[in-house]
Amino acid sequence: NFNIKISEPFNRLSIEFLNDFSNDLKKYNNVNSYPDLIYLMFWCRRKKIENLAKDFKSNKLRIGRGLIFHICPSNVPTNFAYSFFFGLLSGNSNIIKVPSIYSKEKEIILTILKSVLDKSKYINLKKSNSFIQYDSNTETTKNISSICDGRVIWGGDKTINEIRKIWIPERSIEITFADRYSLSIINLKK
């Protein structure tokens, strides 16, 4: 029942969906025990998303690209949700590979997402977005990559280089988030 839907960025339905997700997450038992979820909850509020939409506003006609395949990292439990939300807000259908590693935050997010997607007003979003979980299975990655219009790869340089060996259609785009390094200098003398 998966249908690829393309829409305009920051469409009303996507904004309502994120706001409902935020409201349902707020009601989740013990959500205050998870700082990452509190931030996610505030980030998804209607006002925040509408402010993002204002920054994005343009006189140019914009629509989503199509089907986006998100390959998300395991080291940040909420990353897959943000990747999905940006794909959704850009007007795309999405297949999100969630991390295989267990985290309570991941389980809470998936529970709330399922609950919100089960609401009748979001039936089209439910049919055009999917969350999958698998270990490093090249065949599954190949199959999804072969039909995607875009691929978002989160991970280290090694992961990105391995996945880049897997073909995507010629008109597909790829966005990668590679290794990053930080440096700070602290002056302890007063």
Side-chain angles (χ1 to χ4, degrees):
N1 289 340
F2 192 87
N3 296 316
I4 297 174
K5 299 264 187 211
I6 300 172
S7 61
E8 71 279 359
F10 293 97
N11 62 75
R12 184 185 54 77
L13 188 65
S14 295
I15 293 172
E16 285 179 22
F17 174 80
L18 266 64
N19 194 64
D20 284 355
F21 172 84
S22 176
N23 289 335
D24 286 5
L25 184 57
K26 189 184 306 184
K27 297 173 194 170
Y28 194 86
N29 192 23
N30 293 328
V31 73
N32 292 331
S33 301
Y34 303 97
D36 290 347
L37 296 182
I38 293 170
Y39 183 79
L40 181 64
M41 177 178 61
F42 282 106
W43 189 90
C44 293
R45 291 175 308 147
R46 180 186 315 277
K47 186 173 176 88
K48 172 72 174 169
I49 300 303
E50 287 174 347
N51 285 336
L52 283 174
K54 285 178 191 173
D55 292 342
F56 184 79
K57 191 171 182 166
S58 169
N59 291 332
K60 297 177 183 175
L61 174 65
R62 295 184 180 189
I63 60 170
R65 186 151 191 97
L67 177 62
I68 307 301
F69 180 28
H70 304 257
I71 302 169
C72 300
S74 298
N75 63 336
V76 181
T78 57
N79 177 277
F80 77 95
Y82 288 105
S83 196
F84 166 57
F85 294 155
F86 278 111
L88 186 66
L89 289 170
S90 322
N92 296 295
S93 292
N94 302 277
I95 296 177
I96 301 90
K97 180 185 180 294
V98 298
S100 299
I101 295 173
Y102 174 83
S103 78
K104 185 64 177 172
E105 292 94 335
K106 177 183 83 172
E107 296 305 317
I108 293 169
I109 292 167
L110 289 172
T111 299
I112 301 297
L113 284 170
K114 181 181 180 333
S115 171
V116 177
L117 286 168
D118 282 343
K119 295 177 182 178
S120 60
K121 69 180 179 178
Y122 299 123
I123 189 71
N124 286 331
L125 291 181
K126 184 176 183 175
K127 289 181 179 180
S128 61
N129 294 282
S130 183
F131 297 86
I132 59 174
Q133 182 175 308
Y134 61 91
D135 291 325
S136 299
N137 180 323
T138 304
E139 278 308 304
T140 303
T141 303
K142 281 182 184 177
N143 290 337
I144 298 169
S145 293
S146 72
I147 60 168
C148 72
D149 298 296
R151 188 165 60 184
V152 178
I153 307 169
W154 297 85
D157 295 347
K158 182 180 175 188
T159 300
I160 290 167
N161 288 324
E162 285 302 310
I163 294 171
R164 278 190 165 162
K165 293 176 185 175
I166 298 171
W167 179 82
I168 55 175
E170 287 74 12
R171 292 186 183 236
S172 294
I173 61 168
E174 191 169 67
I175 299 172
T176 61
F177 296 92
D179 285 340
R180 301 262 198 276
Y181 300 95
S182 298
L183 175 69
S184 68
I185 299 174
I186 300 171
N187 183 357
L188 296 177
K189 293 182 181 180
K190 290 189 177 187

